[in-house]
């Protein structure tokens, strides 16, 4: 049954997923187990996106199915869900840029892969990133930007992290739009990602995990 | 003897026309899209540009002439800051907006807020039937209220088709036009019409002045991919992605529904401008990169866009299709157009585009934004050389920058312009 749910969700068979989840709930299965299976499936979706089998609509759809499963399971849960804690990632679209699609996808991917994600939204000034880093003692920052004006905002943000004396404790990844290695070097980030899955691999490398 | 503006105009137009027809022009034309170079170059801020048509077109004109572009784009500010302010316009954020929620950072380009983005309510999946049955009613009573704060009272209007006769709707429903909210919405509509007219009139001299100065436009009429129309402005990108699985038939019906409207809209503009320009600018982006698989592109995006492209070609117009984002995986599909009749602007892999599309369509492209924003003029020129040697070979190429120019260093734009002019002759 567990495999059924994982496979059905990984294959994006919404109706089947909801039927299996309902059956498992009715038969008294542990809601937390159902939830962790669903998360496992969405992580598989993420891997398939990473290897080019799946695309953004598949990620978005799997996220919506997961949301429905969470809503079904929640009323039956007695305690809080024990999520994996792989580490903290602070994310936002940098100052001057209001594009949110890419940032939201990366946030979703990190979240389903067990990271605690602090999403600061769009048009985020450098000091907001620094404040959040200090507040939650974060070790990874993900800066998103679509417009070319975001390159300077990213550079500013990296500089602010340096000025706060945190640069050697914090890893910075950048991504979005037409960004490439030239830009990574210019802004002084540790790495750049072209696809949402890259953020997960980078965060895993930096914070540990398989 | 110096050439007259008229001769310059003909020379530039021929250069672009030769490239379009996949011939080798006298030299490679240089036609970048200015989305902020004018501000860097002339010192006019975005705040001023958004609120003053005269200053805006003067800055655009000075930039085109000083950098000697071979053609110019239409002004990209379609509605003034005043228009947006007075309506509480929700589709944009712009520098200098009165309302803080609508304001971007000082002196930065305006940015779109798509349906479903940043909290903007999109059309719901339940609304498909309404939209498909009676789209104009849907647009007035649901879409307009989401378009602008001042139009929210249009939600209170009864169905337009119910108000047809003395005792069918008119007697019952007409008093709604006395409700203070609805009156205020109509007052806002009227006032915004005046302002829109003022803005369009203010931009008007631009085209004539550019012509007199010897510069043709790359395109004045505008088109859109039918999927983008529906996804960007109505259902939202995320909504459309879910509909691909949950109600694909309805999504396809909606895209099919809007396609003839877009063809009519684009053709109407194209005919109006046809004595100045036969090219139609069509920016597309909903199928970029990972936004959909190639199968989904072939099912939901490309067929209707191709219908728009073909309708324009059939009337003798040249579509200038700007493929925003990563489009490399789509090149084989978009190759299915008549030879020498379409211009494709490429932001992604220009070299791959030459390989696949080079014998079918004229390509527009240039150095990527990384080099343009962070490199030196020397590095920019090195990159231009590679592009001209490979992509410029045998003609069918127009130099630009890979993505529209925003914060790029003006000296790097100049480097592209100069190098292209000097190096590309007889290439």
């Amino acid at each position: 049954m567990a495999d059924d749910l994982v496979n059905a969700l990984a294959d994006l068979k919404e109706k089947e997923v909801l039927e299996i989840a309902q059956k498992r709930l009715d038969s008294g299965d542990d809601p937390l187990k159902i939830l962790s299976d669903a998360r496992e499936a969405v992580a598989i979706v993420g891997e398939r996106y990473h290897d080019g089998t799946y695309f953004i609509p598949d990620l978005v759809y799997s996220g919506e199915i997961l949301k429905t499963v969470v809503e079904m399971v929640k009323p039956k849960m007695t305690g809080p869900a024990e999520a994996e804690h792989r580490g903290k990632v602070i994310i936002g679209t940098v100052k001057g840029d209001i594009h949110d699609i890419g940032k939201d996808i990366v946030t979703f991917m990190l979240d389903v892969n067990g990271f605690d994600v602090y999403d600061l939204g769009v048009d985020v000034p450098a000091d907001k990133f620094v404040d959040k880093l200090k507040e939650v003692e974060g070790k990874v920052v993900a800066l998103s930007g679509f417009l070319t004006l975001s390159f300077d905002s990213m550079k500013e943000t990296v500089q602010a992290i340096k000025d706060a004396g945190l640069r050697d404790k914090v890893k910075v990844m950048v991504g979005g739009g037409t960004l490439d290695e030239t830009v990574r070097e210019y802004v002084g980030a540790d790495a750049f990602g072209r696809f949402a899955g890259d953020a997960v691999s980078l965060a895993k490398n930096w914070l540990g995990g398989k | 003897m110096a050439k007259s503006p008229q001769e310059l105009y003909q020379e530039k137009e021929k250069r672009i026309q030769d490239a379009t027809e996949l011939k080798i022009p006298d030299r490679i034309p240089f036609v970048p899209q200015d989305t902020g170079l004018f501000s860097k170059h002339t010192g006019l801020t975005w705040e001023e540009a958004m609120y003053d048509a005269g200053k805006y077109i003067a800055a655009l004109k000075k930039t085109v002439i000083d950098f000697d572009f071979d053609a110019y784009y239409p002004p990209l500010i379609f509605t003034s800051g005043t228009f947006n302010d007075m309506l509480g316009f929700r589709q944009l954020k712009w520098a200098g907006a009165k309302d803080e929620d609508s304001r971007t950072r000082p002196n930065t380009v305006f940015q779109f807020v798509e349906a479903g983005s940043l909290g903007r309510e999109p059309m719901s999946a339940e609304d498909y039937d309404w939209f498909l049955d009676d789209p104009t009613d849907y647009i007035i009573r649901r879409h307009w209220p989401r378009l602008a704060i001042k139009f929210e009272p249009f939600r209170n209007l009864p169905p337009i088709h119910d108000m047809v006769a003395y005792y069918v709707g008119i007697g019952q429903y007409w008093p709604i036009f006395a409700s203070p909210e609805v009156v205020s919405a109509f007052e806002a509509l009227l006032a915004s019409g005046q302002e829109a007219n003022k803005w369009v009139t203010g931009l008007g001299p631009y085209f004539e002045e550019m012509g007199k100065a010897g510069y043709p436009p790359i395109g004045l009429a505008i088109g859109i991919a039918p999927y983008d129309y529906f996804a960007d402005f109505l259902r939202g990108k995320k909504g459309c992605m879910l509909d691909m699985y949950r109600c694909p038939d309805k999504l396809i019906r909606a895209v099919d529904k809007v396609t003839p409207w877009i063809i009519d809209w684009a053709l109407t503009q194209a005919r109006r401008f046809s004595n100045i320009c036969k090219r139609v600018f069509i920016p597309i982006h909903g199928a970029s990169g990972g936004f959909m698989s190639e199968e989904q592109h072939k099912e939901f995006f490309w067929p209707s866009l191709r219908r728009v492209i073909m309708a324009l070609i059939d009337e003798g117009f040249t579509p200038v299709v700007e493929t925003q984002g990563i489009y490399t995986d789509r090149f084989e599909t978009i190759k299915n157009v008549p030879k020498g009749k379409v211009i494709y602007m490429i932001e992604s892999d220009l070299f791959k585009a030459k390989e696949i599309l080079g014998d079918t369509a004229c390509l527009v492209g240039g150095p990527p934004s990384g080099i343009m924003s962070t490199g030196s003029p020397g590095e920019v020129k090195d990159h231009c050389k590679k592009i001209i040697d490979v992509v410029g070979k045998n003609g069918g190429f127009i130099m630009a920058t890979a993505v529209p120019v925003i914060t790029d260093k003006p000296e790097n734009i100049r480097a592209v312009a100069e190098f292209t002019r000097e190096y590309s002759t007889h290439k």
Side-chain angles (χ1 to χ4, degrees), chain A residues 137-184:
Chain A
E137 294 177 359
K139 300 277 179 284
V140 172
V141 178
L143 305 178
S144 175
F146 180 75
L147 301 173
T148 53
L149 63 81
S150 70
F151 303 164
D152 285 325
S153 299
M154 287 176 178
K155 195 180 168 91
E156 230 172 73
T157 308
V158 173
Q159 188 58 45
I161 293 169
K162 212 180 271 177
D163 294 346
L166 298 170
R167 189 63 186 93
D168 54 345
K169 302 185 193 84
V170 170
K171 291 281 193 187
V172 181
M173 62 172 98
V174 291
T178 54
L179 210 139
D180 57 17
E181 175 60 22
T182 328
V183 179
R184 181 208 62 77

Side-chain angles (χ1 to χ4, degrees), chain A residues 1-13 16-17 20 37 40-41 44-45 48 54:
Chain A
M1 278 287 256
D3 285 354
D4 292 348
L5 182 74
V6 175
N7 291 334
L9 211 168
D11 293 341
L12 305 173
K13 293 179 179 155
E16 232 171 84
V17 171
I20 297 170
D37 288 343
E40 187 188 329
I44 295 173
V45 170
R48 289 183 187 170
Y54 276 178

Side-chain angles (χ1 to χ4, degrees), chain B residues 87-254:
Chain B
L87 287 180
F89 197 63
R90 285 174 163 139
Q91 271 181 339
L92 283 190
K93 286 184 188 254
W94 68 99
K98 274 190 188 156
D99 174 14
E100 203 183 332
D101 283 347
S102 297
R103 207 179 301 151
T104 56
R105 299 273 161 181
N107 200 17
T108 52
V109 59
F110 61 86
Q111 295 176 51
F112 286 104
V113 184
E114 291 177 6
S117 186
L118 303 178
R120 268 200 70 218
E121 186 194 3
M123 169 181 159
S124 72
E126 288 70 42
D127 281 350
Y128 262 106
D129 292 339
W130 180 3
F131 176 76
L132 289 168
D133 289 345
D134 194 346
T136 303
D137 186 65
Y138 183 81
I139 285 169
I140 293 173
R141 299 197 298 129
R142 273 299 170 277
H143 179 65
W144 281 10
R146 289 171 183 148
L147 193 66
I149 292 165
K150 288 286 170 98
F151 292 160
E152 273 172 10
F154 288 144
R155 275 181 195 274
N156 305 336
L157 294 179
I160 306 302
H161 56 66
D162 281 355
M163 299 185 285
V164 292
Y166 175 60
Y167 66 92
V168 184
I170 292 180
Q172 295 92 336
Y173 286 137
W174 226 260
I176 193 75
F177 297 119
S179 109
E181 293 82 23
V182 172
V183 167
S184 77
F186 276 104
E187 280 170 354
L189 182 67
L190 291 177
S192 67
Q194 296 296 327
E195 174 56 29
N197 190 45
K198 198 172 131 197
W199 186 255
V200 170
T201 311
L203 296 181
Y206 185 57
F207 312 108
E208 202 181 323
E209 285 177 25
M210 292 312 293
K212 278 186 186 155
Y215 293 84
I218 187 73
L220 293 179
I222 292 177
I224 185 171
Y227 180 94
D228 283 342
Y229 172 108
F230 188 67
D232 288 3
F233 309 125
L234 291 159
R235 180 74 179 106
K237 272 201 179 68
K238 184 181 169 188
C240 284
M241 286 178 183
L242 295 175
D243 299 340
M244 288 179 189
Y245 301 93
R246 288 177 173 163
C247 52
D249 296 347
K250 285 187 175 175
L251 175 58
I252 288 174
R253 277 179 61 202

Side-chain angles (χ1 to χ4, degrees), chain A:
Chain A
M1 278 287 256
D3 285 354
D4 292 348
L5 182 74
V6 175
N7 291 334
L9 211 168
D11 293 341
L12 305 173
K13 293 179 179 155
E14 182 172 23
K15 214 172 135 224
E16 232 171 84
V17 171
L18 302 184
E19 278 169 11
I20 297 170
Q22 193 58 55
K23 256 188 220 159
R24 282 178 61 174
L25 277 177
D26 293 346
S27 65
D29 205 345
D30 182 359
L32 289 177
K33 178 77 180 82
I34 298 174
L35 207 56
S36 74
D37 288 343
R39 284 184 175 274
E40 187 188 329
V42 175
I44 295 173
V45 170
E47 284 162 23
R48 289 183 187 170
Y49 170 71
H50 198 44
D51 71 22
T53 323
Y54 276 178
F55 294 83
I56 292 170
D58 306 297
L59 289 181
V60 170
Y61 189 37
S62 73
E64 287 297 302
I65 303 175
L66 175 65
K67 216 192 275 173
T68 315
V69 173
V70 170
E71 278 158 18
M72 280 171 74
V73 166
K74 232 181 205 167
K76 308 257 178 170
M77 274 168 34
T78 45
E82 270 184 49
E84 266 183 288
H85 291 289
R86 277 214 165 103
K88 295 165 184 168
V89 180
I90 291 148
I91 190 169
T93 303
V94 294
K95 190 178 90 179
D97 199 324
I98 62 166
H99 288 87
D100 59 353
I101 294 181
K103 188 255 312 162
D104 287 351
I105 290 164
V106 173
T107 301
F108 168 70
M109 291 285 286
L110 289 166
D111 182 46
V112 297
N113 278 281
F115 293 94
D116 295 326
V117 190
Y118 298 86
D119 183 351
L120 304 184
V122 300
D123 190 17
V124 182
D127 56 345
K128 284 266 163 60
F129 284 103
V130 174
D131 290 349
K132 200 50 147 185
L133 272 171
K134 286 180 182 162
E135 181 197 325
V136 305
E137 294 177 359
K139 300 277 179 284
V140 172
V141 178
L143 305 178
S144 175
F146 180 75
L147 301 173
T148 53
L149 63 81
S150 70
F151 303 164
D152 285 325
S153 299
M154 287 176 178
K155 195 180 168 91
E156 230 172 73
T157 308
V158 173
Q159 188 58 45
I161 293 169
K162 212 180 271 177
D163 294 346
L166 298 170
R167 189 63 186 93
D168 54 345
K169 302 185 193 84
V170 170
K171 291 281 193 187
V172 181
M173 62 172 98
V174 291
T178 54
L179 210 139
D180 57 17
E181 175 60 22
T182 328
V183 179
R184 181 208 62 77
E185 203 185 318
Y186 174 75
V187 307
D190 297 294
F192 85 96
R194 205 174 287 280
F195 301 102
D198 298 343
V200 175
S201 325
L202 288 169
K204 279 181 184 170
N205 279 339
W206 291 341
L207 293 168
K210 51 181 178 173

